[in-house]
Amino acid sequence: MVDKETVRRGYDRLAEAYAADRNETGRGREVLADFLGALPASARVLDAGCGQGTPVLSDLSASATATGLDVSRRQLELAADRVPDAALAQGDMVRLPFGDGAFDAVTAYHSLIHVPAEQHQAVVDEFARVLVDGGRLLCSEGPEPWHGENADWLDTDVEMQWDIAGAEATRRHLRNAGFVVERESRAGDSLAEGDDARWTFFTARLEG
């Protein structure tokens, strides 16, 4: 099971190394561009697990009213420098510090995977709570369930942990929260884990 404090401390300690390793190209960014293109003008968008702010929060900020949320204070400090126009908040995705219906859309790139498996449904429920009726969600998950940890992630001597629910469970979580999955994209994506990493990107709409 993922320990959230280990994840938070880990991202605080390796923030710069993670930012240097993060590739800003790949299929995941193309999926994001398609998602943004379907949003209304001046949409309010939450990037849940925004990290250091690039590329997702930066792309959101270019065409929407963007807010970034992350558990790591150091990651948010980097995001403040990289995406100065975005609002930022520190918090847990299981209890989002925003009111009901505060956003038109939510993105969650490679962030659900750091939440304990038994809390994934609660996070998706929170996404639904902060969205307006008909709001949109773009999130990523690994295609198969997997739990792992690495005591020396990115050669930093810093521990990181993951709980991947898998695509089947994520479809169920989305349905339970009132989302209709409009599109699934399976692709290798280099935003976080290297070119050989494979992800399922879910584009979903909240039914009113």
Side-chain angles (χ1 to χ4, degrees), residues 13 16 25 33 43 59 70 105 110 122-123 131-132 157 180 196 206:
R13 292 179 59 194
E16 286 79 5
T25 63
D59 285 357
D70 205 273
H110 313 329
V123 171
L131 280 170
V132 298
D157 197 31
V180 174
D196 58 344
L206 183 65

Side-chain angles (χ1 to χ4, degrees), residues 48-93:
C50 65
Q52 82 287 347
T54 54
V56 178
L57 184 63
S58 178
D59 285 357
L60 295 178
S61 183
S63 60
T65 301
T67 298
L69 174 119
D70 205 273
V71 69
S72 164
R73 181 172 296 276
R74 180 57 184 148
Q75 292 276 21
L76 289 170
E77 289 171 352
L78 296 180
D81 289 337
R82 288 166 167 76
V83 196
D85 292 336
L88 299 172
Q90 185 175 16
D92 187 336
M93 293 194 297

Side-chain angles (χ1 to χ4, degrees), residues 76-148:
L76 289 170
E77 289 171 352
L78 296 180
D81 289 337
R82 288 166 167 76
V83 196
D85 292 336
L88 299 172
Q90 185 175 16
D92 187 336
M93 293 194 297
V94 176
R95 293 178 296 276
L96 292 172
F98 308 105
D100 297 357
F103 298 100
D104 301 297
V106 173
T107 58
Y109 265 57
H110 313 329
S111 52
L112 274 168
I113 61 175
H114 292 301
V115 174
E118 65 273 16
Q119 295 185 344
H120 281 214
Q121 181 68 69
V123 171
V124 176
D125 290 345
E126 278 289 272
F127 292 163
R129 181 186 66 79
V130 302
L131 280 170
V132 298
D133 289 344
R136 308 291 298 283
L137 171 66
L138 174 60
C139 65
S140 65
E141 258 287 4
E144 301 296 334
W146 180 79
H147 170 80

